[in-house]
Amino acid sequence: MITIGLTGNIASGKSMVSRQLKELGAVIIDADLVARKIVEPGSPIIYEISQAFGEKVLNSDGTLDRKKLGRIVFADPKALEKLNQITHPKIRKVIEGKIKDLKNKSGILVIDAPLLIEVGLHCMVDQVWVVLVDRDIQLQRLKIRDNLSEKEARQRIASQLPQEEKIKYADKIILNNGSPEKLRAIVNKLWKEFSLHY
């Protein structure tokens, strides 16, 4: 399989691009789904998280209270680093396993991962596609989408590798400052070009 690494920062529209690529025929490995799977109740990772941050980050049914954990880690870079040290190696290992399982099949595989570069998965793909958005638009989208204050939204944006750094790794840049229809047209064009080439 030919592999695309799809990445983009929070509220960039990466998930919309991923959904469209799936509609166009790509096989998707969604890193966010992997991340949710590894913290299911009773998993070793959720135990490590509760040991590191306290039982307060768990709901009464043993599931992870993402909002509570988010408030802790996005307000404290050291706490975020601690969480990443717990989760990133496992996420990478699971995705690497999925890539190996699909390696000998035909078609186009998309690794949809906000942390594609941060966890080193960009080294395992044929092309890196970065979804880019202007900071002001990103901030407004994030505040509305997640019902966040200005401060909370800025903390979440600041916690990620800057877009300027991500585009250094990009083979293709998808600028998403416009409407969903405009984004769809850009992705369709890229897909046609990529499919013809490969």
Side-chain angles (χ1 to χ4, degrees):
M1 270 194 161
I2 303 301
T3 311
I4 297 168
L6 175 67
T7 193
N9 281 5
I10 194 165
S12 64
K14 177 188 62 61
S15 297
M16 287 172 69
V17 173
S18 180
R19 281 195 296 273
Q20 189 180 343
L21 291 172
K22 187 176 181 181
E23 286 169 19
L24 290 165
V27 175
I28 308 288
I29 295 176
D30 185 337
D32 283 341
L33 289 181
V34 172
R36 285 177 186 276
K37 190 88 178 157
I38 66 167
V39 295
E40 285 182 343
S43 68
I45 297 286
I46 204 162
Y47 175 74
E48 277 190 64
I49 291 170
S50 65
Q51 288 295 104
F53 298 99
E55 297 285 329
K56 62 183 179 290
V57 299
L58 301 182
N59 293 309
S60 56
D61 61 357
T63 56
L64 190 62
D65 187 330
R66 293 176 175 279
K67 283 192 174 173
K68 202 169 274 182
L69 183 61
R71 280 196 294 272
I72 294 167
V73 300
F74 291 122
D76 179 0
K78 283 185 179 171
L80 181 61
E81 192 180 335
K82 190 193 287 183
L83 178 65
N84 289 344
Q85 284 169 354
I86 294 169
T87 58
H88 284 183
K90 180 64 174 171
I91 292 168
R92 180 179 169 134
K93 192 176 175 186
V94 171
I95 292 174
E96 281 176 350
K98 287 176 180 283
I99 292 170
K100 280 174 190 159
D101 290 345
L102 293 163
K103 200 176 180 183
N104 297 321
K105 299 194 174 174
S106 59
I108 296 172
L109 174 64
V110 173
I111 315 299
D112 171 2
L115 299 170
L116 185 87
I117 293 152
E118 294 89 326
V119 301
L121 286 166
H122 64 290
C123 300
M124 300 186 69
V125 300
D126 298 297
Q127 279 202 355
V128 173
W129 291 12
V130 177
V131 185
L132 205 61
V133 62
D134 283 356
R135 177 62 67 90
D136 291 347
I137 296 170
Q138 181 188 23
L139 190 61
Q140 290 311 312
R141 283 179 185 165
L142 183 56
K143 282 161 65 179
I144 293 163
R145 189 192 77 184
D146 292 356
N147 194 25
L148 298 174
S149 68
E150 180 98 6
K151 184 184 176 187
E152 287 172 324
R154 286 187 184 278
Q155 282 176 340
R156 278 162 171 71
I157 290 169
S159 74
Q160 296 187 312
L161 186 69
Q163 295 188 119
E164 298 75 30
E165 287 300 311
K166 286 194 172 177
I167 60 174
K168 290 177 185 175
Y169 297 87
D171 295 289
K172 303 288 181 189
I173 294 170
I174 300 167
L175 186 60
N176 182 28
N177 287 332
S179 65
E181 291 74 28
K182 193 171 181 182
L183 179 64
R184 185 168 280 275
I186 293 166
V187 175
N188 273 333
K189 185 170 180 287
L190 271 180
W191 176 261
K192 277 178 190 166
E193 288 169 2
F194 188 79
S195 302
L196 283 171
H197 187 66
Y198 287 99

